[in-house]
Amino acid sequence: MCDRHPIDGVPTPDPSYSPEEVVSIQLGALASNDDPFEDAGIAVAYNFASPANRRATGPFDRFVRMVRGPRYAPMIDHVEATTGALERRGSRAEQRVTLTGPDGRTVTYAFGLSSARDGDLDGHWLTDRVALE
């Protein structure tokens, strides 16, 4: 996979998406990670990562290793996702998500998103962080 952003063949940010939709798109993709190609779900998460997030976690190959690591592995091919209420404060939002992994392990994450930034992505909700709760 190349280090280009966005990664082709999977969903990309759009200013019409709400923060809830951004989280949902990523969760849906990660639930079937290898569809339509290997690590496509992780590619969707990378596409929706904010520029600052990508600078800290990228390039893509490094991002894949991070998501496949023990902290985030329950996201891959999870079998159930329960989302909490979205907390929105202006151009920032947070949503807690409890996932049941393929091994039955349940893990809760907090997705932190924002929509205010310089450049072409201003007004697009993007993921700044995903923290283990």
Side-chain angles (χ1 to χ4, degrees), residues 4-131:
R4 202 175 75 238
H5 180 269
I7 296 172
D8 294 331
V10 295
T12 58
D14 186 283
S16 69
Y17 294 146
S18 69
E20 295 98 335
E21 288 172 311
V22 168
V23 172
S24 178
I25 289 166
Q26 292 176 82
L27 293 174
L30 289 164
S32 56
N33 185 54
D34 290 332
D35 182 25
F37 54 84
E38 184 178 354
D39 289 331
I42 296 173
V44 170
Y46 189 72
N47 280 352
F48 281 89
S50 69
N53 185 341
R54 286 194 319 276
R55 280 192 298 277
T57 61
F60 182 67
D61 291 340
R62 182 173 156 203
F63 189 84
V64 169
R65 286 192 304 275
M66 178 190 72
V67 176
R68 289 193 167 279
R71 180 175 296 233
Y72 298 106
M75 295 180 136
I76 299 171
D77 298 324
H78 64 270
V79 295
E80 184 178 8
T82 304
T83 55
L86 183 96
E87 298 174 22
R88 186 170 172 176
R89 292 169 301 284
S91 64
R92 298 204 173 275
E94 183 170 287
Q95 186 168 35
R96 283 180 174 63
V97 177
T98 300
L99 300 177
T100 303
D103 62 355
R105 183 176 137 197
T106 300
V107 181
T108 300
Y109 299 95
F111 280 71
L113 303 99
S114 65
S115 65
R117 61 192 48 82
D118 294 329
D120 294 342
L121 293 173
D122 187 39
H124 292 68
W125 285 98
L126 300 174
T127 304
D128 294 318
R129 64 179 170 72
V130 178

